[in-house]
């Protein structure tokens, strides 16, 4: 099916206003909300993408730790080629090293760098291309407390819109939509539960990580991640402190202070300019307390899928 027919299908889908003040409808496709740009990429991936057994697919809902998990995974798989003074992460945003399935690869799935087994996606588990689910490639998922994920998403959208001379909705209005499940790739709870249930059914295929736990004990989880994706650290590497070096290179403090992430621009694949710095805000657990009232927090906590 051609892109034109994707557009036709999308025009028939249920539609809601998104989080910006104009030009930003979200459409309900296979149970999740998304802008037409991303849905076209998802449809194309579902139709054409063929995964390889060596693929490692980083799956996330937006603003739950994608930039970090991409960085850690890339540092793990490239550690015999690069070290913490030559890593591509020192001069590139991780999103420019690990392609997004429905954005970067959507037009040319066959054009992948054969040396890079990593790719990423925000697509919910039940809508992943069949070959990712059926074949033996690995999936790594990270989830985050919905209150922090909401606050992070709200700020991300607001910071992006500044460059387009547009405004986001008021936080309270965006919160209402989020609670109703109307957010990019939402409902958030369905996204998390889809991968959680699949990880219980297929623990050898899907590693389910949590942002808070990873922040508390990154070294342990980086070892676990390396084991799971088939790049375990040798005892000699562990003795030499390689795990700690990767953790420190990929820390929020280090990455957010690199010139590329302070002043660089993300390759423009989605519509509009994206400054690298908007992928780095605070990187804290519990920042929601500065933005949500106790009532709002209680409401989010009470939502079930
Ligand atoms: P905050 O907005 O709460 O600061 P994503 O990468 O999925 O877009 O998620 C972005 C969130 O991850 C932002 O959260 C961002 O600051 C945080 N983040 C980015 N890099 C990080 C890192 N290296 N370690 C921990 N958190 C990071």
């Amino acid at each position: 099916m051609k892109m034109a027919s994707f557009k036709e299908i999308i025009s028939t889908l249920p539609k809601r206003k998104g989080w910006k003040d104009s030009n930003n409808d979200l459409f309900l496709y296979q149970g999740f909300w998304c802008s037409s740009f991303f849905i076209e990429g998802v449809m194309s991936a579902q139709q054409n993408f063929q995964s390889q057994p060596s693929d490692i697919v980083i799956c996330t809902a937006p603003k739950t730790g994608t930039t970090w998990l991409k960085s850690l995974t890339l540092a793990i798989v490239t550690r015999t080629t690069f070290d913490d003074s030559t890593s591509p992460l020192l001069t590139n945003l991780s999103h420019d090293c690990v392609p997004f399935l429905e954005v970067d690869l959507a037009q040319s799935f066959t054009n992948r760098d054969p040396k890079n087994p990593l790719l990423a996606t925000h697509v919910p588990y039940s809508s992943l291309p069949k070959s990712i689910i059926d074949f033996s490639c690995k999936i790594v998922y990270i989830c985050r407390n919905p209150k922090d994920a909401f606050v992070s998403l709200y700020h991300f959208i607001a910071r992006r819109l500044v460059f387009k001379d547009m405004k986001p909705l008021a936080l309270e209005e965006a919160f209402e939509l989020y609670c109703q499940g109307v957010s990019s790739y939402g409902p958030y709870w369905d996204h998390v539960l889809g991968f959680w249930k699949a990880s219980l059914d297929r623990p050898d295929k899907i590693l389910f990580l949590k942002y808070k736990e990873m922040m508390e004990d990154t070294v342990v989880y980086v070892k676990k991640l390396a084991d799971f994706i088939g790049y375990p650290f040798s005892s000699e590497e562990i003795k030499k402190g390689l795990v700690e070096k990767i953790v420190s290179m990929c820390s929020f403090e280090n990455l957010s202070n690199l010139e590329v992430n302070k002043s660089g621009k993300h390759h423009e694949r989605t519509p509009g300019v994206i400054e690298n710095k908007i992928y780095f805000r605070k990187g804290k657990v519990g920042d929601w307390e500065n933005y949500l009232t106790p009532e709002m927090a209680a409401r989010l906590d009470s939502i079930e899928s």
Side-chain angles (χ1 to χ4, degrees):
M1 203 181 293
K2 299 236 172 58
M3 283 296 184
S5 4
F6 293 155
K7 281 197 172 55
E8 279 165 31
I9 297 172
I10 292 170
S11 70
T12 67
L13 298 174
K15 186 165 82 169
R16 293 281 300 269
K17 288 242 166 298
W19 293 23
K20 307 169 201 164
D21 59 355
S22 61
N23 189 23
N24 78 104
D25 290 327
L26 295 176
F27 296 85
L28 186 64
Y29 175 64
Q30 298 186 342
F32 67 94
W33 292 97
C34 229
S35 68
S36 57
F37 173 82
F38 291 105
I39 296 178
E40 280 184 38
V42 176
M43 288 172 156
S44 175
Q46 289 175 332
Q47 208 165 76
N48 304 311
F49 181 72
Q50 286 302 319
S51 70
Q52 304 297 321
S54 58
D55 281 344
I56 299 160
V57 191
I58 297 166
C59 297
T60 59
K63 313 327 290 173
T64 59
T66 321
T67 315
W68 186 27
L69 190 56
K70 279 184 172 186
S71 306
L72 289 170
T73 317
L74 183 76
I76 292 169
V77 304
T78 60
R79 69 182 187 268
T80 52
T81 318
F82 304 109
D83 61 25
D84 57 354
S85 65
T86 56
S87 170
L89 290 168
L90 302 177
T91 46
N92 297 274
L93 177 69
S94 63
H95 297 292
D96 287 327
C97 304
V98 180
F100 260 114
L101 175 71
E102 62 271 35
V103 181
D104 309 288
L105 297 178
Q107 304 288 343
S108 55
F109 296 113
T110 48
N111 232 357
R112 286 180 64 192
D113 172 359
K115 294 197 292 293
N116 183 2
L118 305 181
L119 67 147
T121 181
H122 287 323
V123 175
Y125 182 76
S126 55
S127 291
L128 284 173
K130 204 169 169 326
S131 68
I132 293 183
I133 299 205
D134 291 349
F135 294 174
S136 57
C137 61
K138 299 279 185 186
I139 292 178
V140 186
Y141 186 80
I142 186 165
C143 83
R144 193 176 189 193
N145 179 321
K147 300 188 286 291
D148 280 336
F150 164 73
V151 167
S152 184
L153 181 61
Y154 184 76
H155 283 96
F156 181 77
I157 290 178
R159 289 166 89 189
R160 262 186 84 170
L161 292 181
V162 168
F163 298 101
K164 297 189 187 176
D165 233 3
M166 288 164 71
K167 288 199 186 105
L169 298 179
L171 184 128
E172 291 71 19
E173 287 174 89
F175 179 80
E176 183 58 39
L177 289 176
Y178 195 75
C179 290
Q180 292 173 21
V182 185
S183 63
S184 205
Y185 295 90
Y188 178 67
W189 299 263
D190 292 357
H191 202 285
V192 176
L193 272 178
F195 282 94
W196 170 247
K197 286 180 184 155
S199 74
L200 297 179
D201 283 351
R202 303 175 71 185
D204 53 323
K205 182 169 178 76
I206 304 169
L207 179 66
F208 190 94
L209 299 165
K210 298 176 186 161
Y211 184 93
K212 180 171 183 280
E213 289 179 356
M214 282 197 60
M215 287 292 266
E216 285 165 356
D217 208 344
T218 318
V219 167
V220 164
Y221 285 97
V222 165
K223 283 193 205 145
K224 204 179 247 197
L225 175 60
D227 286 343
F228 183 80
I229 60 179
Y231 290 77
F233 289 96
S234 66
S235 42
E236 202 180 321
E237 286 178 317
I238 291 175
K239 247 189 259 155
K240 278 199 215 146
L242 200 58
V243 186
E244 286 78 3
K245 277 190 181 167
I246 287 178
V247 168
S248 139
M249 180 175 72
C250 297
S251 69
F252 180 87
E253 287 66 31
N254 189 54
L255 291 183
S256 62
N257 281 308
L258 294 173
E259 203 47 50
V260 62
N261 294 327
K262 284 200 290 193
S263 58
K265 292 205 173 39
H266 184 39
H267 288 196
E268 217 174 308
R269 297 186 193 96
T270 48
V273 178
I274 305 187
E275 291 204 308
N276 292 351
K277 66 180 175 202
I278 71 167
Y279 289 95
F280 304 89
R281 194 180 62 94
K282 293 189 183 171
K284 294 255 178 298
V285 172
D287 185 47
W288 63 266
E289 289 191 5
N290 296 312
Y291 298 93
L292 304 183
T293 63
E295 292 73 31
M296 289 164 113
R299 180 157 172 215
L300 272 190
D301 287 341
S302 70
I303 295 177
E304 289 169 14
S305 188

